[in-house]
Amino acid sequence: MPAQSLRMSRPGLILKLRCHDQPGIVAKIANYVAGHRGNLVEFNQFSDPLGGKFFARLEIETHDLDVDVQDFIDGFGTLGRSLHADWHFRRLPYRMRTAVLVTKTDHCLNEILWRTELGELPIEITSIIGNRDNCRPIAEHSNIPFHQIDMDGGQRGPGFVEIRRLIESQNVELIVLARFMQILPDDFCRDFGGRIINIHHSFLPAFIGANPYQQAYERGVKLIGATCHYVTADLDAGPIIEQDVERVQHFHAPTDLVRLGRNCERIAIAKGIRYHVHDRTIIDGHRAIVFPD
Amino acid sequence: MPAQSLRMSRPGLILKLRCHDQPGIVAKIANYVAGHRGNLVEFNQFSDPLGGKFFARLEIETHDLDVDVQDFIDGFGTLGRSLHADWHFRRLPYRMRTAVLVTKTDHCLNEILWRTELGELPIEITSIIGNRDNCRPIAEHSNIPFHQIDMDGGQRGPGFVEIRRLIESQNVELIVLARFMQILPDDFCRDFGGRIINIHHSFLPAFIGANPYQQAYERGVKLIGATCHYVTADLDAGPIIEQDVERVQHFHAPTDLVRLGRNCERIAIAKGIRYHVHDRTIIDGHRAIVFPD
Amino acid sequence: MPAQSLRMSRPGLILKLRCHDQPGIVAKIANYVAGHRGNLVEFNQFSDPLGGKFFARLEIETHDLDVDVQDFIDGFGTLGRSLHADWHFRRLPYRMRTAVLVTKTDHCLNEILWRTELGELPIEITSIIGNRDNCRPIAEHSNIPFHQIDMDGGQRGPGFVEIRRLIESQNVELIVLARFMQILPDDFCRDFGGRIINIHHSFLPAFIGANPYQQAYERGVKLIGATCHYVTADLDAGPIIEQDVERVQHFHAPTDLVRLGRNCERIAIAKGIRYHVHDRTIIDGHRAIVFPD
Amino acid sequence: MPAQSLRMSRPGLILKLRCHDQPGIVAKIANYVAGHRGNLVEFNQFSDPLGGKFFARLEIETHDLDVDVQDFIDGFGTLGRSLHADWHFRRLPYRMRTAVLVTKTDHCLNEILWRTELGELPIEITSIIGNRDNCRPIAEHSNIPFHQIDMDGGQRGPGFVEIRRLIESQNVELIVLARFMQILPDDFCRDFGGRIINIHHSFLPAFIGANPYQQAYERGVKLIGATCHYVTADLDAGPIIEQDVERVQHFHAPTDLVRLGRNCERIAIAKGIRYHVHDRTIIDGHRAIVFPD
């Protein structure tokens, strides 16, 4: 069921849809696609028996369509509205315009850059924004504009105004917090809802907030983890996209947890971004439906 | 997408289907179900871009069908034949008639019995067959007929004739080799193809054959495993349903690997049987499509 | 470094020791053992650079001792006191007298019984105590006395008095809460400190308290877990011995999490008990040093 | 028991030792250290009951030694010889001179470079050697000499002569095959025995040789893996240092396995190198004793 990397670079469409569950819904959607000679290369759906909702993701090859791609998209509206659905089409190939926010540590940023160059992440990084200057050399080596924005003390408010200005002027679609050590203002979270991805260096909901590795050490856990999640105004409580864990023992000091935890953080943030950019996630309240690849 | 245990005990149908991939196939199948007011509670499919095949599993609630269930099943034939498909319907609720073959060790047998009693495995164990007598007390405690069949030396041939007679007379649908330390005759494998599940105590294809934990120790692996797979005439080479691993270190002697490996064996065989009995597996040559729950 | 099961049944000693870290401590302890011709088959130690403490576990074969075993034990006192250490000797072979407390669900109890029979857990279960009657048949099948003690409403206080009476009259050394759905009184936790092991069906410190699988479902985690820990008066906050996790997806309903989580619970409680009974754990404040095997 | 990164950069010694197991050996070694006021910050040992051997790794702070460090090292000879031991001292801090051999893919090379810069791997990369030119830009960005050495067809023999010349002229202590797609000549393996580390992109001993991900796909495994091991003349059969696995499903094409497997390869090679460079490995025939941190 997965989109392979290559597939994302061929002409086609992804359709994401959410509505109340109802009889015949799969048939109706599949009929629309087949009726226009769309080739369904992947079709994931989930009928939630508890919430009464229906979620679907379709990946459609469009070279044999009997109408223009835009007409195919527009024409779906009649069905979509009759289902009272939320839906979204994305044309392939595409690269999602992405801003990466950082502070000092660079392992998540490095991971994102490396996977982008490798073709694993179809994103275009429009800018790297730091409230510290540490990551500037990495940005410059990758020829990506770096913006240092002071956010200490009274600069926090104006700082976020500046970030918002940058992001809006660059038509950014995705904001990645790659170990960005600042709490976002509520209105920022709200306005960019579902478009901000964070990596938290613990196995949420354990160890919310500051210094999770120190907390993990003090609690004496036998597994540490990392969580990639959507950001909401509720700190570290947004819908989880991906989590990863690693086994630890009593002899691991907090500095060891930091070292081993980086492995989890890098894997989890890379998978989380990939799922989002490939439209493999659908937010449903506090949870995220994820169709992994 | 999973069938919950409860769901399996409600009236309904499971449809498994395999055919060459072709345009509109999802729509055609979904239309048939919706056209008769079947309620699709789960629909998994896989369009294999490499093999050009299409695989699907549907779970259908039937209380609102506009025809008899048998008519619904029969009526699918027209579509199934036009797709040149292999397909299979199963009526729910059901319990699969199962024979368990054992030798001396009982941990896998115990696991199967325990999960059956708990309701995790919708099977009816018609008999437990051992080439040794060790597991008789467990069978008797569970009120399941135990048959000891000698298979040493020249008794091997007659032994398998007797097993076959038992299995056929009891209308057994599934044969589980729960650490059964005998190699099945080729014709036996062939005649019960796709209906024999084995647990091998290694991470296949590593350590095929005898004493895999000893082999693993000598090779110095850092992870041991267990593999639940369909049995074919090719030793330990049948389609894999499920695998599980556990981390080990240099200080683990072969007896430790046996101890730790039991954890993997029990989990893997239990999941493998469940997937098979819930029709979540489709064999495709040397591989198995598995829609896990 | 591990004790193999067989080894635990041979004559010998386990020495556990904790003190402030200090120069030459390993040499002093090893000298004492070697000086009396003890054969050190396993020697684990941990010098904690953060806490300034030293922890050790020694497994000693005693057949070549130049003194009586009791004299060897007594003679260590001079060294132990000079190190200002806490220490403890245990003679092998031994079986730890254990009471298991249960409510309704029996999977952890079953696991403990099965592993005990198999020889994995060197314990003698003196009694199974339930605040419900559900587990009585299992206890009776294993020929272990079952005591139902009502703990509802006003019966809670008298119930724990009765449990304490039973445990003390049977010289119980270890109390295992095998999904016992009652919170222990503070004085009970204190009086049996370091001798009560619980399994909590979440990846602590996430989802403390009631219905952790429901909490996990609502939070949308991608991994569920189980935690085996010592019980203190602080609910679900005692030193962690072992944790295990399993990957889940959005389609897993709470009932699926219960089903999959049982796998984690059974493995974690079995390992936790084994480590405790083999003296592989040393409690250090909120943490547990664990030398796994 | 682990060396933390910081610790490796402080003055001190690591002692690795292997000999036949014998009474009092721990006491003798610990006495030598304590007798000269060495501070034992970590002491791992393993008495192998099956092979009758004893293995140890000691990490010793030397600031309080009552003799020169060199005298301490030399003085150990008397004890070492009396134990008929192989032993090795390493002075801290140190950085191991390392050559990295590559072909086309760069993810393992990148990982090594990144972790070296971060301080996780105390190595000094003297040169990067490729039989293709693909990794030259990465080498140049890191200011490390890159040598392209043609090894196709008849150039293979002269190529390895050239590699050997480079390595010897640079006093290389460790050779890392970071996805180097050439089989080393037997004499090369022999001459640099225990000093060549390879990453194989499968869970060895499964899928030895070429195209392991394709092999894994065709076999239909449910977990893929990577293995970091010492190189011997026996292809992919040298002592294993570290292995890592990731779960896959039927829908993962070989290209997906390549993508997901990179995660395992990068983690396993990084851990394997770290264990080697921190002297946490002791080769014992076909196996490696590893004291992880």
Side-chain angles (χ1 to χ4, degrees):
Chain A
M1 299 180 187
Q4 296 160 57
S5 297
L6 284 176
R7 190 188 289 170
M8 299 294 289
S9 59
R10 292 215 302 265
L13 285 171
I14 296 174
L15 167 59
K16 273 197 335 190
L17 179 142
R18 175 178 50 189
C19 60
H20 285 282
D21 205 2
Q22 48 202 289
I25 188 164
V26 171
K28 287 173 187 169
I29 297 170
N31 279 339
Y32 182 80
V33 176
H36 288 292
R37 297 200 199 144
N39 183 24
L40 208 47
V41 292
E42 191 179 339
F43 188 0
N44 286 291
Q45 72 252 194
F46 171 50
S47 294
D48 181 4
L50 300 175
K53 290 192 203 141
F54 175 83
F55 306 88
R57 177 192 185 272
L58 293 80
E59 204 164 318
I60 306 162
E61 284 180 349
T62 51
H63 43 68
D64 290 331
L65 279 192
D66 65 356
V67 291
D68 279 351
V69 171
Q70 191 57 48
D71 290 339
F72 180 86
I73 292 172
D74 294 343
F76 186 82
T78 307
L79 175 56
R81 282 183 296 272
S82 79
L83 298 169
H84 300 285
D86 296 322
W87 75 93
H88 177 256
F89 278 97
R90 186 181 304 281
R91 285 176 181 237
L92 303 178
Y94 74 99
R95 293 173 69 200
M96 191 176 282
R97 294 177 66 80
T98 302
V100 182
L101 274 59
V102 296
T103 297
K104 288 183 180 171
T105 56
D106 58 16
H107 56 281
C108 288
L109 173 61
N110 261 319
E111 189 76 13
I112 294 166
L113 290 170
W114 174 73
R115 295 205 191 228
T116 303
E117 284 167 37
L118 200 66
E120 270 194 32
L121 297 178
I123 61 175
E124 181 183 344
I125 303 177
T126 58
S127 56
I128 298 169
I129 302 170
N131 63 322
R132 290 284 180 277
D133 212 38
N134 307 57
C135 294
R136 182 184 295 277
I138 295 168
E140 289 180 347
H141 174 62
S142 297
N143 292 316
I144 296 170
F146 182 85
H147 306 272
Q148 197 208 330
I149 298 179
D150 187 9
M151 311 201 68
D152 292 346
Q155 293 308 105
R156 187 166 174 274
F160 274 105
V161 170
E162 175 63 10
I163 290 178
R164 180 189 285 263
R165 195 195 58 74
L166 267 171
I167 283 169
E168 288 174 347
S169 72
Q170 295 175 339
N171 295 315
V172 162
E173 300 166 87
L174 173 64
I175 301 165
V176 176
L177 311 185
R179 298 294 307 271
F180 179 61
M181 300 284 97
Q182 290 278 331
I183 295 174
L184 303 189
D186 286 7
D187 63 332
F188 195 97
C189 297
R190 208 165 36 237
D191 293 349
F192 296 96
R195 289 179 289 157
I196 313 174
I197 289 179
N198 184 44
I199 183 76
H200 185 72
H201 39 313
S202 85
F203 185 82
L204 286 176
F207 310 128
I208 287 170
N211 288 327
Y213 291 126
Q214 180 66 33
Q215 292 184 56
Y217 172 80
E218 288 169 6
R219 186 62 189 87
V221 292
K222 299 301 182 190
L223 288 156
I224 56 166
T227 303
C228 182
H229 65 96
Y230 287 107
V231 173
T232 60
D234 211 356
L235 182 64
D236 298 333
I240 293 170
I241 309 173
E242 176 69 8
Q243 298 187 290
D244 198 15
V245 287
E246 179 136 357
R247 200 161 276 276
V248 295
Q249 295 192 54
H250 59 267
F251 54 67
H252 289 111
T255 52
D256 294 307
L257 303 190
V258 169
R259 167 174 57 87
L260 294 167
R262 280 194 289 257
N263 296 337
C264 298
E265 294 171 47
R266 293 157 77 209
I267 302 288
I269 196 171
K271 289 192 176 174
I273 295 173
R274 181 175 165 99
Y275 296 155
H276 175 83
V277 175
H278 285 208
D279 285 305
R280 294 185 165 279
T281 64
I282 305 177
I283 294 176
D284 179 37
H286 297 298
R287 298 159 41 89
I289 312 301
V290 179
F291 302 112
D293 75 337
Chain B
M1 300 181 188
Q4 297 159 57
S5 296
L6 284 176
R7 191 189 286 169
M8 299 293 289
S9 59
R10 292 215 301 264
L13 285 171
I14 296 175
L15 166 59
K16 274 197 336 189
L17 178 144
R18 176 178 50 189
C19 61
H20 286 283
D21 206 1
Q22 48 202 289
I25 189 165
V26 171
K28 286 173 187 168
I29 297 169
N31 279 339
Y32 182 80
V33 176
H36 288 293
R37 297 200 198 145
N39 184 24
L40 208 47
V41 292
E42 192 179 338
F43 187 0
N44 286 291
Q45 73 252 194
F46 171 49
S47 295
D48 181 4
L50 300 175
K53 289 191 203 144
F54 175 83
F55 306 87
R57 176 191 185 274
L58 292 81
E59 203 164 318
I60 305 162
E61 284 180 348
T62 52
H63 44 67
D64 290 331
L65 281 191
D66 64 356
V67 292
D68 279 351
V69 171
Q70 192 56 49
D71 290 338
F72 181 86
I73 292 172
D74 294 342
F76 187 81
T78 307
L79 174 57
R81 284 184 296 272
S82 78
L83 297 170
H84 301 285
D86 296 321
W87 75 94
H88 176 256
F89 278 98
R90 186 182 304 280
R91 284 176 182 237
L92 302 179
Y94 74 99
R95 292 172 71 198
M96 191 175 281
R97 294 177 66 81
T98 302
V100 182
L101 274 59
V102 296
T103 299
K104 287 183 181 172
T105 56
D106 59 15
H107 56 282
C108 287
L109 173 61
N110 261 318
E111 189 76 12
I112 294 166
L113 290 170
W114 175 73
R115 294 206 192 226
T116 302
E117 284 168 37
L118 200 64
E120 271 195 31
L121 297 178
I123 61 176
E124 182 183 343
I125 303 177
T126 57
S127 55
I128 298 170
I129 302 170
N131 63 323
R132 291 286 179 276
D133 212 40
N134 307 57
C135 294
R136 183 184 294 277
I138 295 168
E140 290 179 347
H141 174 62
S142 297
N143 292 316
I144 296 171
F146 182 85
H147 306 272
Q148 198 209 328
I149 298 180
D150 186 8
M151 312 201 66
D152 292 346
Q155 294 308 105
R156 188 168 171 273
F160 274 105
V161 170
E162 174 63 9
I163 290 178
R164 180 188 285 262
R165 194 195 59 74
L166 266 172
I167 283 170
E168 288 174 348
S169 71
Q170 296 175 339
N171 296 314
V172 162
E173 300 166 85
L174 173 64
I175 302 165
V176 176
L177 311 184
R179 299 294 306 273
F180 179 62
M181 299 284 97
Q182 290 278 331
I183 295 174
L184 303 189
D186 285 7
D187 63 333
F188 194 98
C189 295
R190 207 163 37 237
D191 293 349
F192 297 95
R195 288 179 290 156
I196 313 174
I197 289 179
N198 184 43
I199 182 75
H200 185 73
H201 38 314
S202 84
F203 185 81
L204 287 175
F207 311 129
I208 287 170
N211 287 328
Y213 290 125
Q214 180 65 33
Q215 293 183 55
Y217 172 79
E218 289 169 6
R219 184 63 189 87
V221 293
K222 299 302 182 189
L223 289 156
I224 56 167
T227 302
C228 182
H229 65 96
Y230 287 109
V231 173
T232 61
D234 212 356
L235 182 64
D236 297 334
I240 293 170
I241 309 172
E242 176 68 7
Q243 299 188 290
D244 198 15
V245 287
E246 179 136 356
R247 199 161 277 276
V248 295
Q249 295 193 54
H250 59 266
F251 54 68
H252 289 111
T255 51
D256 294 308
L257 303 190
V258 168
R259 168 174 57 86
L260 293 168
R262 278 194 291 257
N263 296 338
C264 299
E265 294 172 47
R266 292 157 78 209
I267 302 286
I269 197 171
K271 288 192 176 175
I273 295 173
R274 181 175 164 99
Y275 295 155
H276 174 83
V277 175
H278 285 207
D279 285 305
R280 295 187 164 278
T281 64
I282 306 177
I283 294 176
D284 179 37
H286 296 297
R287 298 159 41 87
I289 313 300
V290 180
F291 302 113
D293 75 336
Chain C
M1 296 175 188
Q4 296 159 57
S5 296
L6 284 175
R7 191 188 287 169
M8 299 294 290
S9 59
R10 293 214 302 264
L13 284 171
I14 297 174
L15 166 60
K16 273 196 337 188
L17 178 143
R18 176 178 51 189
C19 61
H20 285 282
D21 205 3
Q22 48 200 290
I25 189 166
V26 171
K28 287 172 187 170
I29 297 170
N31 279 339
Y32 182 80
V33 176
H36 289 292
R37 296 200 200 144
N39 184 24
L40 208 46
V41 292
E42 191 179 337
F43 188 0
N44 286 290
Q45 73 252 194
F46 171 49
S47 294
D48 180 4
L50 300 175
K53 290 191 201 144
F54 174 83
F55 306 87
R57 177 191 185 274
L58 293 81
E59 204 165 319
I60 306 161
E61 285 181 348
T62 52
H63 44 67
D64 291 331
L65 279 191
D66 65 356
V67 291
D68 281 350
V69 171
Q70 191 57 49
D71 289 339
F72 180 86
I73 292 172
D74 295 343
F76 186 82
T78 307
L79 174 56
R81 282 183 296 272
S82 79
L83 297 170
H84 301 285
D86 296 321
W87 75 93
H88 176 256
F89 278 98
R90 186 182 303 281
R91 286 177 179 235
L92 302 179
Y94 75 99
R95 292 173 70 200
M96 190 175 284
R97 295 176 64 81
T98 301
V100 182
L101 273 59
V102 295
T103 299
K104 287 183 181 173
T105 56
D106 59 17
H107 57 280
C108 288
L109 173 61
N110 261 320
E111 189 76 12
I112 294 166
L113 291 170
W114 175 73
R115 296 207 191 226
T116 303
E117 284 168 37
L118 200 66
E120 270 194 32
L121 297 178
I123 61 175
E124 181 182 345
I125 303 177
T126 57
S127 55
I128 298 170
I129 302 170
N131 63 323
R132 291 286 179 276
D133 211 39
N134 307 57
C135 294
R136 182 184 295 276
I138 295 169
E140 290 179 347
H141 174 63
S142 298
N143 292 316
I144 297 170
F146 182 85
H147 307 272
Q148 198 209 329
I149 298 179
D150 186 9
M151 310 201 69
D152 293 346
Q155 294 308 104
R156 187 167 173 273
F160 274 105
V161 170
E162 175 63 10
I163 290 178
R164 180 188 285 262
R165 194 195 59 74
L166 266 171
I167 282 168
E168 288 174 348
S169 71
Q170 296 174 337
N171 295 315
V172 163
E173 299 166 86
L174 173 64
I175 301 165
V176 177
L177 311 185
R179 298 295 306 273
F180 179 61
M181 300 286 96
Q182 289 278 332
I183 296 174
L184 304 188
D186 285 8
D187 64 331
F188 194 99
C189 296
R190 206 164 38 237
D191 294 349
F192 296 96
R195 289 180 289 156
I196 313 175
I197 289 179
N198 184 42
I199 182 74
H200 184 73
H201 38 314
S202 84
F203 185 83
L204 287 175
F207 310 128
I208 288 170
N211 288 327
Y213 290 126
Q214 180 67 33
Q215 292 184 56
Y217 171 80
E218 288 168 6
R219 185 61 188 89
V221 293
K222 299 302 181 188
L223 289 155
I224 56 166
T227 303
C228 182
H229 64 97
Y230 287 108
V231 173
T232 60
D234 212 354
L235 181 64
D236 296 332
I240 293 170
I241 309 173
E242 176 69 7
Q243 298 186 292
D244 198 15
V245 286
E246 179 136 356
R247 200 160 277 275
V248 294
Q249 296 193 54
H250 58 267
F251 53 69
H252 290 109
T255 51
D256 294 307
L257 303 190
V258 168
R259 167 174 57 87
L260 294 168
R262 278 194 291 256
N263 296 339
C264 299
E265 294 171 47
R266 293 157 77 209
I267 302 288
I269 197 171
K271 289 192 176 174
I273 294 172
R274 181 174 164 100
Y275 296 155
H276 175 83
V277 174
H278 286 207
D279 285 305
R280 295 187 164 278
T281 64
I282 305 177
I283 294 175
D284 179 38
H286 297 296
R287 298 160 40 89
I289 313 301
V290 180
F291 303 113
D293 75 335
Chain D
M1 296 174 192
Q4 297 159 57
S5 297
L6 284 175
R7 191 189 287 170
M8 298 295 288
S9 60
R10 292 215 301 263
L13 284 170
I14 296 175
L15 167 59
K16 272 196 339 188
L17 179 143
R18 175 178 51 190
C19 61
H20 285 283
D21 205 2
Q22 48 202 288
I25 189 166
V26 170
K28 287 173 187 168
I29 297 170
N31 279 339
Y32 181 80
V33 176
H36 289 292
R37 296 199 200 146
N39 185 23
L40 208 46
V41 292
E42 192 179 338
F43 188 0
N44 287 290
Q45 74 253 193
F46 171 50
S47 294
D48 180 4
L50 301 175
K53 290 191 202 143
F54 174 83
F55 306 87
R57 176 191 185 275
L58 293 79
E59 202 164 318
I60 306 161
E61 284 181 348
T62 52
H63 44 67
D64 291 331
L65 279 190
D66 65 356
V67 292
D68 281 350
V69 172
Q70 192 57 50
D71 290 338
F72 180 86
I73 292 172
D74 295 342
F76 186 83
T78 308
L79 174 57
R81 283 184 296 273
S82 78
L83 298 170
H84 302 284
D86 297 321
W87 76 93
H88 176 257
F89 278 98
R90 185 182 304 282
R91 284 176 180 237
L92 302 179
Y94 74 100
R95 292 173 71 200
M96 191 176 283
R97 295 176 65 79
T98 302
V100 182
L101 274 59
V102 295
T103 299
K104 287 182 181 173
T105 55
D106 59 17
H107 57 281
C108 287
L109 173 61
N110 260 320
E111 189 76 12
I112 294 166
L113 290 170
W114 175 73
R115 295 206 192 226
T116 303
E117 284 167 39
L118 200 65
E120 271 194 30
L121 298 178
I123 61 176
E124 181 182 344
I125 303 177
T126 58
S127 55
I128 298 169
I129 302 170
N131 63 323
R132 291 287 179 275
D133 212 39
N134 307 57
C135 294
R136 183 183 295 276
I138 294 169
E140 290 180 348
H141 174 63
S142 297
N143 292 315
I144 297 170
F146 182 86
H147 307 272
Q148 198 211 329
I149 298 179
D150 186 9
M151 311 201 68
D152 293 346
Q155 293 308 105
R156 188 167 172 273
F160 273 106
V161 170
E162 175 63 8
I163 290 178
R164 180 188 286 262
R165 195 195 57 74
L166 266 172
I167 283 169
E168 288 174 348
S169 72
Q170 295 174 339
N171 295 315
V172 162
E173 298 166 87
L174 173 63
I175 301 165
V176 176
L177 310 185
R179 296 295 306 273
F180 179 60
M181 300 285 95
Q182 290 278 333
I183 295 174
L184 303 188
D186 285 7
D187 63 332
F188 195 98
C189 295
R190 207 163 39 236
D191 294 350
F192 296 96
R195 288 179 290 156
I196 313 175
I197 289 179
N198 184 43
I199 182 75
H200 184 73
H201 38 313
S202 84
F203 186 83
L204 287 174
F207 311 128
I208 287 170
N211 287 328
Y213 290 126
Q214 180 66 34
Q215 292 183 56
Y217 172 80
E218 288 169 6
R219 184 63 188 87
V221 293
K222 299 301 183 189
L223 288 156
I224 56 167
T227 303
C228 182
H229 64 96
Y230 287 108
V231 173
T232 61
D234 212 356
L235 181 64
D236 297 333
I240 293 169
I241 308 172
E242 176 69 5
Q243 298 187 290
D244 198 15
V245 287
E246 179 137 357
R247 200 160 276 275
V248 294
Q249 295 193 52
H250 58 267
F251 54 69
H252 289 110
T255 51
D256 294 309
L257 303 189
V258 168
R259 167 173 59 86
L260 293 168
R262 278 195 291 258
N263 296 339
C264 298
E265 295 172 45
R266 293 156 77 208
I267 302 288
I269 197 172
K271 288 192 176 173
I273 295 173
R274 181 174 165 101
Y275 295 155
H276 174 84
V277 175
H278 285 207
D279 285 305
R280 295 187 165 278
T281 64
I282 305 178
I283 294 175
D284 179 37
H286 297 296
R287 297 159 41 87
I289 313 300
V290 179
F291 302 113
D293 76 335

